[in-house]
Structures are given as structure tokens and as C-alpha cells.
Amino acid sequence: MKPTELLYAETHEWVAVSTEGGRKVGTIGITAFAIEQLTDLVHMVLPKVGTKVGAGKEFGEVESVKAVSSLYSPVSGEIVAVNDQLPGRLEKLGDDPYNSGWMIKVALSDEADLNKLMDHAAYQKQCASE
């Protein structure tokens, strides 16, 4: 996935929306900027398939040598897939955050959540101000 084609939350999660099995599904991860800020990731907790998430609500956490940070879902819905290999291979986040570093897939329950997210240009402005 290309970063310019994604939507972003203020909390540094990205989402790519596609249609799978006739429903809208958001693939979610964290941005390269967030990974760079966290540095040296050591542990990650991801939810199970079937868990319901709300837009702006916590779905997991990532721990670095600096701190533990919560992961927030940019959209509401039910988790339909989890990248189970990621917690054991955290280097994927730094190597390829927008493809093999995806975390969860959520079947959207409210597409209006997408209207609250930023495009790539707006997200770059936010990062420049931090």
C-alpha cells in the first residue's frame, strides 16, 4: 500500500479501505513516523478475531524500550483478521509498516468514521508540527 493512498488518525494509525466479500474492510497499522518515535520495539499485544472495536478506542498496545503505547482503532466494527505473525517479528513494522506491518482488519460498521480521518497531506502537516 502506498502511504499517499491511506487515511490517518491523529494517534498515528493508518487505515486502507477495501471491499472484501461484499463488505468494507479497513486494514489498520501504525505509521512509519510513530514507529520512528517509539524506537526499539520489544513487545506487542493484539486482539482476537471477533472482537468489536470503536473508532478512537484502544485495541492493543505496543511496548518499546521507552514506554508502552496504546493502539487505537480509526474505525468502528468487528475484527475479521489479525496479523498473528507480527508480535513475534516486530522488525516488520520498521521494515514495511504499510504492507507486512499491518495489524488488524476491521469490517466497518459505520463508514462515516472515515470522514473524520486525515489524508496523507494533512497527516504530514501534523507530523511536522510534533
Side-chain angles (χ1 to χ4, degrees):
M1 290 174 255
K2 296 178 183 175
T4 54
E5 297 171 352
L6 304 174
L7 296 172
Y8 299 88
E10 290 179 5
T11 50
H12 303 287
E13 288 82 10
W14 57 262
V15 60
V17 179
S18 61
T19 302
E20 296 180 16
R23 61 186 178 183
K24 296 279 187 185
V25 174
T27 301
I28 296 167
I30 59 173
T31 67
F33 178 83
I35 294 164
E36 185 179 307
Q37 296 297 309
L38 290 167
T39 68
D40 298 329
L41 301 175
V42 294
H43 185 68
M44 171 177 278
V45 177
L46 293 176
K48 296 182 187 303
V49 170
T51 303
K52 302 246 192 264
V53 294
K57 304 295 184 189
E58 185 176 327
F59 71 81
E61 60 185 34
V62 63
E63 181 179 348
S64 72
V65 293
K66 292 168 53 176
V68 176
S69 299
S70 297
L71 301 167
Y72 300 98
S73 179
V75 294
S76 300
E78 181 179 338
I79 296 173
V80 294
V82 175
N83 188 348
D84 290 328
Q85 296 179 352
L86 194 57
R89 301 185 67 198
L90 292 173
E91 69 277 5
K92 283 185 175 186
L93 282 172
D95 294 344
D96 193 14
Y98 303 107
N99 290 294
S100 63
W102 70 275
M103 296 177 178
I104 59 173
K105 293 186 179 188
V106 175
L108 303 183
S109 62
D110 186 357
E111 290 185 41
D113 292 339
L114 301 172
N115 298 330
K116 300 171 187 165
L117 301 174
M118 295 179 273
D119 64 13
H120 186 256
Y123 180 68
Q124 290 300 306
K125 281 185 183 177
Q126 175 186 307
C127 292
S129 68
E130 290 186 8

